[in-house]
Amino acid sequence: MELLVRQVRIADGKPPVDLAISKGRFVAVQPNLAADAPRVIDAQGRAAIPGLLEPHIHLEKALLEQRMPNQSGTLAEAIRITGQLKAQQVREDVLDRSRQVLDMAIRNGVVALRAQPDVDPIQGLIGVETGLALADEYRNALDLQIVAFPQEGILKAPGTLAMMEEALNMGASVVGGCPYNERTWEDTRSHIDECFKLAQKYDRPVDLHADFADDTSDRRFAAASYIAQKTIDTGYQGKVTLGHMTSLASLMPDQAQPVLELLQRADINIVTIPATDTYLGGRKDQANPRRGLTPVAALRKAGVNVTYASNNIRNAFTPFGKVDPLQIGNMLAHIAQLGSPDDQAYVLRMATTNAARAMGISDRYGIEVGKQADLVILDTPNVANALLDLPPRSWVIKKGRVVLETKHEEKISK
């Protein structure tokens, strides 16, 4: 036994337990464990949750906002600005900004991220190369999945498909896609088809930016049904994730229901991006501006796995952010009106067990005997307080190793 955590609360309404960790895994989870270890953490009744997850983030585009702000706050300007900036990417600068983001993540209890570096003729493979280097550099502190993400489209940007294949050969573990960023609906379908062909060839999961609009008047932004059917036809159920999915919220319930049912049948994971999508969405609405958010409640009711993520950190798409899933979860709970105790517990699951399912790591995730010892001990006595208090992360443990310890002291004078 290498680490023993005493008196930690992993479920409200039940006594605290002790967690014994050996070789990076939990070997005992029970009250009053008769054991010892070289290092013992006395949690003193603090709450603990599985390590937090970020299933959708852009490292190489982070922290660029001050270099060229998005004055209009629109998606179109964000794409234009980012295209200019990424043409000037320099390896050391990308590494420096990415490290700042990963350090933020560690401070906030994140133990795994799925990064979405652009792969296109503008930026080349610098995002993939630096991402893979950082995955190795940070391997003891967090897990980093790399997506081959064609932000500029595939048909619209000749040569991109070959670069995606090169990225997969380099070590990227997920096939990405951005089907709405093509010129026609026919090209959007071809984009999706090419992504699935590549995924099948390399036996990799699929993660697409999809349906990112305020409405479904343009079919390029209403591809969910096509993707879901493609998933079923190729036998890819459980291996496909869709990020954003905002235009689905513009449909009336009777229109949305068939799409929701198809997503559930296809076992597709949805990643809602509350910070980015509410910031960019509804910009043209003169009255009753739309929230620009995935219909989380409807997806949940339909039995679809839904998680959430930070997406962009301080750039043209999102000028805020610090890679804190609890902060984003608190925001989501407000915007999506998920305020009951049951809803709040669901939001916390979105950033933990739901995200693990979307990232394909459920088999080793969770505070259970035999699972990888990734957890966050929060400076609050109840698990339910995680979203309410946004508490300091007292200890962050990755593979049984303490990667962060926070000293928090406050004094109120009356």
Side-chain angles (χ1 to χ4, degrees):
M1 196 180 305
E2 295 138 14
L3 177 64
L4 181 62
V5 180
R6 290 205 179 276
Q7 291 295 298
V8 68
R9 191 178 305 281
I10 61 173
D12 293 341
K14 296 183 179 180
V17 297
D18 297 340
L19 308 175
I21 298 168
S22 178
K23 297 181 180 178
R25 294 187 176 272
F26 294 110
V27 294
V29 179
Q30 64 187 69
N32 305 314
L33 188 63
D36 204 354
R39 179 164 186 186
V40 178
I41 293 174
D42 183 1
Q44 299 180 328
R46 290 179 175 87
I49 59 176
L52 292 162
L53 304 174
E54 276 283 0
H56 185 125
I57 197 163
H58 297 270
L59 292 178
E60 90 282 10
K61 293 187 284 193
L63 307 178
L64 288 172
E65 168 68 5
Q66 293 186 355
R67 299 186 188 182
M68 193 178 292
N70 181 350
Q71 301 292 354
S72 70
T74 62
L75 174 63
E77 186 173 353
I79 292 174
R80 180 182 61 78
I81 286 173
T82 303
Q84 291 179 247
L85 289 172
K86 71 181 182 180
Q88 306 165 24
Q89 294 277 41
V90 177
R91 184 178 188 276
E92 288 306 315
D93 181 57
V94 172
L95 285 171
D96 177 63
R97 288 183 287 104
S98 298
R99 287 187 184 109
Q100 291 181 58
V101 173
L102 294 177
D103 289 348
M104 289 180 190
I106 292 169
R107 284 195 292 270
N108 290 313
V110 175
V111 298
L113 305 91
R114 177 175 282 185
Q116 306 254 358
D118 288 12
V119 172
D120 54 54
I122 301 173
Q123 178 169 285
L125 292 169
I126 188 171
V128 173
E129 186 271 320
T130 53
L132 292 169
L134 291 164
D136 181 63
E137 181 181 331
Y138 280 78
R139 64 187 180 279
N140 293 323
L142 49 77
D143 297 321
L144 187 58
Q145 299 179 356
I146 304 299
V147 180
F149 171 54
Q151 168 77 74
E152 304 299 326
I154 293 177
L155 285 80
K156 195 171 75 172
T160 296
L161 193 61
M163 296 177 69
M164 292 174 68
E165 191 155 9
E166 184 178 352
L168 294 169
N169 285 317
M170 289 169 62
S173 55
V174 183
V175 175
C178 194
Y180 62 76
N181 199 8
E182 297 288 357
R183 293 188 176 91
T184 65
W185 167 237
E186 290 72 23
D187 285 355
T188 289
R189 288 188 299 177
S190 296
H191 182 121
I192 294 164
D193 294 345
E194 292 297 339
C195 289
F196 274 86
K197 287 178 187 175
L198 207 55
Q200 290 176 295
K201 178 178 179 179
Y202 286 88
D203 190 24
R204 305 287 166 82
V206 175
D207 193 327
L208 308 176
H209 289 51
D211 292 18
F212 188 17
D214 288 332
D215 58 51
T216 59
S217 58
D218 186 331
R219 293 186 70 188
R220 294 176 300 166
F221 296 90
S225 293
Y226 184 84
I227 295 168
Q229 190 60 55
K230 187 78 178 180
T231 300
I232 294 169
D233 293 345
T234 55
Y236 246 59
Q237 293 95 324
K239 299 179 182 179
V240 177
T241 298
L242 303 181
H244 297 288
M245 289 300 297
T246 60
S247 59
L248 186 59
S250 70
L251 298 176
M252 296 301 291
D254 60 331
Q255 297 173 305
Q257 193 59 36
V259 182
L260 297 171
E261 291 173 0
L262 195 54
L263 289 169
Q264 192 277 331
R265 281 179 48 212
D267 194 13
I268 285 179
N269 305 293
I270 302 296
V271 184
T272 184
I273 314 289
T276 299
D277 294 349
T278 56
Y279 180 75
L280 294 175
R283 289 279 175 168
K284 295 180 180 179
D285 295 341
Q286 298 299 307
N288 296 320
R290 283 165 281 201
R291 297 186 180 199
L293 186 71
T294 317
V296 175
L299 286 161
R300 179 190 181 188
K301 184 178 179 180
V304 178
N305 184 52
V306 189
T307 178
Y308 63 80
S310 293
N311 187 42
N312 281 291
I313 305 297
R314 305 179 196 183
N315 66 11
F317 294 91
T318 318
F320 310 104
K322 61 174 188 173
V323 203
D324 184 354
L326 294 185
Q327 180 193 54
I328 298 296
N330 182 284
M331 175 188 295
L332 174 63
H334 281 80
I335 300 167
Q337 299 175 328
L338 297 170
S340 72
D342 177 68
D343 286 340
Q344 291 185 46
Y346 172 72
V347 172
L348 189 56
R349 291 197 300 275
M350 290 175 74
T352 52
T353 54
N354 289 18
R357 180 174 163 187
M359 295 176 71
I361 60 173
S362 294
D363 60 333
R364 61 179 184 270
Y365 182 83
I367 304 178
E368 302 173 19
V369 172
K371 298 293 181 73
Q372 189 166 285
D374 297 349
L375 73 151
V376 186
I377 302 172
L378 305 170
D379 193 13
T380 191
N382 298 308
V383 174
N385 289 0
L387 290 178
L388 297 172
D389 293 345
L390 304 181
R393 321 299 127 101
S394 298
W395 290 274
V396 178
I397 297 169
K398 177 65 181 172
K399 298 177 185 174
R401 177 175 170 266
V402 177
V403 295
L404 179 85
E405 186 170 356
T406 301
K407 301 293 185 182
H408 179 67
E409 183 178 342
E410 60 183 25
K411 182 180 179 181
I412 298 176
S413 298
K414 296 183 180 178

